[in-house]
Amino acid sequence: MHLTHHGGDPQMDTLRKSKAQEFGDLMQALLERKGKFQIILIILLSLNSMLIGINHTITTFHAYVPKFYCRDHINYTCGYFVNGTECPSGYHFDENDDTTLAVEYSTVCRRAMLAPLINSLYFVGVTLGSIVCSSMSDVYGRRKLVIASLYGQAIMALAQYVSTHLMLFIVFRLMQGFFIQGLQTVSYALIMEYSPSRFRTVAATYWESNWAIGLGILGAVAYFVRDWRMLTLVLTLPVFLTLSYVWYIPESIVWLSTKGRCTEATRIIHKIAKFNRNDEVVQQCNSLILTEKDQPTDTASGGNDSNVPQQKITIGALMKNKILRKHLLSMICVWFSVTLSYYGILYFLPNLAGSRHLNWEYGALIELLSYIMSYFIFAGFGRRLPMAFLQYCNGGLILFMAILSALPAGSYSQWWIVATALTAKGLAVSSFCGMFIFGSELLPTACRGLGLGLCGCSARTGSLLAPQLMALIGILPTFVPLSIMSGLLVLAATITLFLPETLSTILPNTIEEANQTWGSPEI
């Protein structure tokens, strides 16, 4: 049973503040010093990013359509009807090509829209996971959600492997998206909460780089494993190797401190400091633990100052502030446009000339190099101008692809589009990395989680619409969907120019501090 402190005992207030200060100093002493444990933890958790990259994009290979023709008439693929039924005997697919969802469930011709629908429904699950899992991790902790999401998505992948109906596959895929996003959100949070402040940019870049490595692994495995079921199985089974270490991943000490579980956090700090051979922190832990045994504890505060009012921000309160409203709506536009262009190019790549697997590997390599390059760009030149420049360049390149696609066939080399698409993908990747950094810095701590959650929903909307937009190729001229992506990027880049620079700015914690940092809070 928790005791509620109502004040009135100066000695208890002094003791509580003293313990809170001592614990805060102890936590900072550990977190602001890079140690072996943090490096190992970041490496192990970043393996999850490979898994996330694979599962976000595996539908590109699942839904691939080999060459085919109607069994009723060899000269027809689509459009051959017998008594009002299109190709009643089914379709014959190239036996030397991949066995995909298209082959097994005939997602071609009138059923062709099922392929982008599968991917869109997957991202519906991703959107739900971003909202539900992030909220649950605030209640139940990071560690539990990482473990639940990791094995939850693996079980859903195995369920896809044994599914016998397309509808079952779609349901399992949607549920996997839910767990995959939970894994992404909570793993990234845990990495950031254990990274020293000066090491966070490096940790974030390493996390993103593992996404690109995952894409490279997917392309290589898909080249050798041409059956969609076996591809799913081969990429899922290695997940269970994590059973050898996942139980040693600690709970976030930052999260524990916000829940008043400072004694538990102190014990974790003690173990980490001992592993890092940080004798100074070990001695501080021993001193604090002994003090806690000898002194009474107000379990309601758990060592925190319960008299400090906590600012609870709603969407309405956020939108009433002119400065934060501008920041939030601007970043929502940027996140949507960048994510739409990233996934649009990603789904466009396999349709290009040349080997689709080789194009995929080129894209993965460019993505890896782009993540590394983005670290130096945003650390050296700030956030605002590089973000605008990258989006303008990307919009221009996609417009160039659109113009080329409108020219008569044979008037240009297809490799011009391949090279342009791969370069645009690299710029989209750098923008993707930058929008996370810029978005988190433009919002105060009091509403950063809420704001980034809204930006995340906008990004997921972009990823939902991307396969539908690229599915228009073949129905409408290629120029149309590419021009839409280009126009949105130019708009987002222009909006970015009206935002303040945040490099080396002390980040505000409250709305009042945000008003002082960026100007008047006029409505």
Side-chain angles (χ1 to χ4, degrees):
M1 180 177 178
H2 293 286
L3 302 175
T4 304
H5 177 72
H6 298 286
D9 188 342
Q11 185 176 2
M12 181 62 75
D13 287 343
T14 302
L15 174 61
R16 183 180 299 107
K17 292 178 182 178
S18 175
K19 287 176 63 180
Q21 181 64 45
E22 191 174 355
F23 175 77
D25 293 343
L26 176 65
M27 190 164 63
Q28 289 303 311
L30 177 78
L31 294 180
E32 290 307 314
R33 239 179 114 174
K34 181 176 64 177
K36 291 186 298 181
F37 181 87
Q38 287 95 320
I39 293 174
I40 293 172
L41 182 65
I42 290 168
I43 291 173
L44 293 178
L45 286 174
S46 292
L47 294 176
N48 294 339
S49 187
M50 291 188 195
L51 187 64
I52 294 158
I54 288 171
N55 281 283
H56 271 8
T57 57
I58 195 172
T59 307
T60 303
F61 295 97
H62 278 170
Y64 167 70
V65 181
K67 292 181 179 179
F68 70 97
Y69 60 82
C70 177
R71 292 184 187 276
D72 297 287
H73 201 301
I74 194 172
N75 293 326
Y76 281 82
T77 53
C78 301
Y80 182 77
F81 291 87
V82 178
N83 297 325
T85 303
E86 185 177 24
C87 199
S89 299
Y91 304 92
H92 177 81
F93 292 86
D94 186 351
E95 296 178 355
N96 297 319
D97 211 333
D98 295 9
T99 302
T100 64
L101 292 172
V103 176
E104 188 165 337
Y105 298 113
S106 297
T107 55
V108 294
C109 298
R110 286 192 169 185
R111 290 165 57 88
M113 292 303 292
L114 285 174
L117 178 62
I118 290 170
N119 214 43
S120 292
L121 289 176
Y122 168 79
F123 280 108
V124 168
V126 169
T127 303
L128 294 174
S130 67
I131 298 171
V132 176
C133 292
S134 59
S135 300
M136 291 180 66
S137 71
D138 286 339
V139 177
Y140 300 106
R142 317 300 194 206
R143 181 176 179 272
K144 290 179 181 177
L145 263 294
V146 166
I147 294 174
S149 298
L150 179 62
Y151 297 115
Q153 69 81 28
I155 292 171
M156 290 302 104
L158 294 177
Q160 293 167 42
Y161 171 75
V162 300
S163 62
T164 55
H165 299 283
L166 181 60
M167 186 56 65
L168 283 175
F169 173 84
I170 292 174
V171 170
F172 293 141
R173 182 79 176 134
L174 185 150
M175 294 174 67
Q176 186 186 28
F178 177 91
F179 288 114
I180 279 289
Q181 187 59 30
L183 184 65
Q184 181 179 27
T185 302
V186 184
S187 295
Y188 188 80
L190 195 54
I191 285 177
M192 291 297 100
E193 289 169 355
Y194 267 108
S195 299
S197 58
R198 289 180 296 178
F199 191 66
R200 282 177 184 165
T201 306
V202 177
T205 304
Y206 182 75
W207 164 270
E208 297 289 355
S209 298
N210 275 268
W211 166 290
I213 293 171
L215 297 187
I217 292 172
L218 171 60
V221 175
Y223 178 79
F224 294 103
V225 182
R226 297 302 183 102
D227 182 276
W228 75 267
R229 291 183 187 272
M230 288 305 301
L231 178 64
T232 301
L233 184 64
V234 169
L235 292 172
T236 300
L237 289 179
V239 171
F240 295 98
L241 295 176
T242 61
L243 288 168
S244 62
Y245 67 80
V246 72
W247 314 109
Y248 297 102
I249 293 176
E251 183 54 86
S252 166
I253 57 176
V254 176
W255 177 82
L256 288 171
S257 68
T258 63
K259 295 299 179 181
R261 295 161 60 177
C262 296
T263 301
E264 185 178 346
T266 302
R267 293 194 180 100
I268 294 175
I269 293 172
H270 184 272
K271 291 179 181 178
I272 296 174
K274 194 172 181 180
F275 184 87
N276 289 342
R277 296 182 180 179
N278 189 337
D279 295 334
E280 181 182 349
V281 174
V282 170
Q283 291 176 2
Q284 286 181 276
C285 284
N286 291 334
S287 174
L288 187 59
I289 291 171
L290 288 174
T291 302
E292 288 176 345
K293 289 180 179 179
D294 295 336
Q295 293 179 339
T297 302
D298 184 347
T299 56
S301 64
N304 294 322
D305 185 3
S306 59
N307 292 323
V308 176
Q310 299 297 316
Q311 189 178 26
K312 185 176 181 180
I313 307 299
T314 63
I315 296 176
L318 184 58
M319 296 301 290
K320 285 180 180 178
N321 185 282
K322 180 181 179 180
I323 297 170
L324 298 182
R325 182 173 67 242
K326 182 182 80 170
H327 291 183
L328 179 61
L329 294 179
S330 298
M331 292 312 299
I332 284 175
C333 179
V334 169
W335 283 50
F336 174 81
S337 302
V338 170
T339 307
L340 179 69
S341 67
Y342 172 82
Y343 283 101
I345 296 169
L346 196 66
Y347 298 133
F348 184 64
L349 282 174
N351 298 322
L352 300 178
S355 167
R356 61 194 177 93
H357 294 91
L358 192 58
N359 286 344
W360 187 269
E361 292 301 316
Y362 285 148
L365 177 60
I366 289 173
E367 190 155 334
L368 178 61
L369 295 176
S370 298
Y371 279 128
I372 296 172
M373 179 185 68
S374 63
Y375 168 78
F376 297 100
I377 291 175
F378 292 110
F381 299 97
R383 320 301 196 209
R384 182 174 65 94
L385 292 179
M387 275 296 295
F389 177 76
L390 289 169
Q391 291 173 95
Y392 276 132
C393 289
N394 204 11
L397 287 174
I398 294 176
L399 181 61
F400 179 66
M401 284 195 298
I403 294 172
L404 285 181
S405 68
L407 296 177
S411 61
Y412 61 92
S413 171
Q414 281 291 322
W415 285 104
W416 275 102
I417 290 188
V418 173
T420 305
L422 292 174
T423 304
K425 184 171 185 280
L427 293 176
V429 167
S430 295
S431 300
F432 207 87
C433 188
M435 74 185 191
F436 278 95
I437 301 172
F438 202 20
S440 62
E441 292 175 342
L442 282 170
L443 298 167
T445 304
C447 59
R448 188 170 295 133
L450 174 62
L452 291 181
L454 295 172
C455 290
C457 287
S458 173
R460 296 282 71 84
T461 303
S463 60
L464 278 167
L465 294 177
Q468 306 296 337
L469 183 64
M470 301 315 294
L472 294 176
I473 296 176
I475 300 174
L476 296 174
T478 305
F479 179 85
V480 175
L482 293 181
S483 296
I484 292 173
M485 288 197 300
S486 175
L488 288 172
L489 282 170
V490 171
L491 174 63
T494 304
I495 290 174
T496 302
L497 292 175
F498 292 92
L499 294 171
E501 179 56 66
T502 58
L503 180 64
S504 302
T505 300
I506 298 176
L507 299 183
N509 290 318
T510 64
I511 289 181
E512 289 73 20
E513 291 180 8
N515 294 333
Q516 294 172 6
T517 303
W518 289 307
S520 172
E522 296 175 3
I523 297 176

